[in-house]
Amino acid sequence: MTTDTLDSLRAVTLRWITDDPDAATRDELYRLLDRLPESHGELADRFAGRLVFGTAGLRGPVRAGPNGMNRAVVRAAAAGLSAWLHRQGVSGPVVVGYDARNGSAEFADETARVVTGTGRDALVLPRPLPTPVLAFAVRHLGAVAGVMVTASHNPPADNGYKVYLGKELGGASGAGAQIVSPVDTEIEAAIAGLGPLADIPLGDPGTVLDDSIVAEYLSAVASVIDRDDPKELTVVATPMHGVGGEVLVAAMERAGFAPPSLVPEQAAPDPAFPTVAFPNPEEPGAMDLLVGLADRSDADLAIALDPDADRCAVAVPDASGWRALRGDELGVLLADHLIRRGRRGVYATTIVSSQMLRAMCEARGVEYRETLTGFKWIVRADEDLAFGYEEAIGYCVAPDAVRDKDGVSAALLTCELAAGLKAALSSLSDRLDELAREFGVYRTDQLSVRVEDLREITDAMARLRADVPATLLDEPVTEYDDLAPDADVVTLRTASCRVVVRPSGTEPKLKAYLEVVEPVAEDDVPAARERAAAALQALRTEVSAALGL
């Protein structure tokens, strides 16, 4: 590295420091400057770019500099959002919520002060709470927008910033839903056009709501459950060091179930997430403590919420121990349950989720929609949404209350289904077998390749488009769908399998979503599952070769 390179980096850092409103992060950068040239790599990474405001808002490590989550970046984001709202000519409050991660309460306070500094009311949730409570509050309070400070199931070092719109800006299907394009680019442009942060007026910390907003949320999600259905069920659960434990317990009691036993080591919020390597229920080992408690408790059901409680994972006992259901499995179970209960409306999932929901809706005469990946699209599938799910363990079971994925209400509906089956001497696993006999075994998996250079993903997608496989699993490819330029997604179908390939929207990964369908012959579901598993493994090998990764 040259002296000019160091001098340039030093100058950029000092300019940022002069506009940083936080003494702690200013000092953090001064310490890095004092360590130059040894700290060059770390400092250069912090100034490699600014966190970009996208449809998922902001997300990144809590640290000083433009490429991190800190008060300066949050102040700019809040000011950009406020400026965008002003340009839309709308009035009304902004609801602000936050989880228990490092910096969440501070970033929520910064957001509220920026909002009130523009003369608009800021309504702040009373304490660290699940993301679904914020999504509910935006609809329930008639707010113009909402901000949730959370990084969901990201690593402990991260935090983030999600934005929701009220009915006036989001429309009937998007009221209380996360933003979609072009709103993200418009807010990003407003952020880029800001002057010095010191010129942004700050107001008071807003109005802190009382716990009645939580009680109203609990009443709304508990109303999903039929009070007269069986409630006898032994449940263990974990909020995974997040903010969902207390709310889940209260929701189950409100719905008439016995309170679940929480994994004691993970029951209280802890931003360090000390018992899990990665606070995501889908990660290997993340549910080990939960399964251990389920074994000791002779439980019927084990439930894991992710740290902001917008996603729900479920494990069930079977002949070989406890098994975590795939997102597609729980998705079709909940859809089937609601259809059997007579809930009308549109049932929606994404292009990368299992096609079993489509088959079920066609057979039952229910409206079906398929969307691009992400809950922001699922909830906008139709104003008359009855249910939506994505394979990444996200479920919307109470769309009139929460127009987003909600792990708490999904857990309640799962408990209702499991309790009813238990009373009939059956189980979730048994119901899955019944559905397999009716529709066949739909087996899904994901091939995920992490890269160091994003050009590898571009090259792989180009190779796939230039040399489309003629066959998969010795069957001719009968459908080839390329969503470019609207979306970088390619779909291949044969008579018995489907492959959807797309770059990840949040990580440097290329993802291929695999599915095979195996009919059940002579009522032998286990044999069909074995054939499907073998076919899925063969499909994985073929797709990996086609992508050249």
Side-chain angles (χ1 to χ4, degrees), residues 214-234:
V214 182
E216 287 157 350
Y217 164 80
L218 291 171
S219 293
V221 297
S223 68
V224 172
I225 304 306
D226 188 332
R227 299 289 299 189
D228 296 328
D229 279 359
K231 298 292 186 296
E232 183 65 36
L233 199 68
T234 301

Side-chain angles (χ1 to χ4, degrees), residues 305-321:
L305 303 179
D306 73 339
D308 71 328
D310 66 347
R311 302 197 309 155
C312 171
V314 169
V316 296
D318 64 14
S320 59

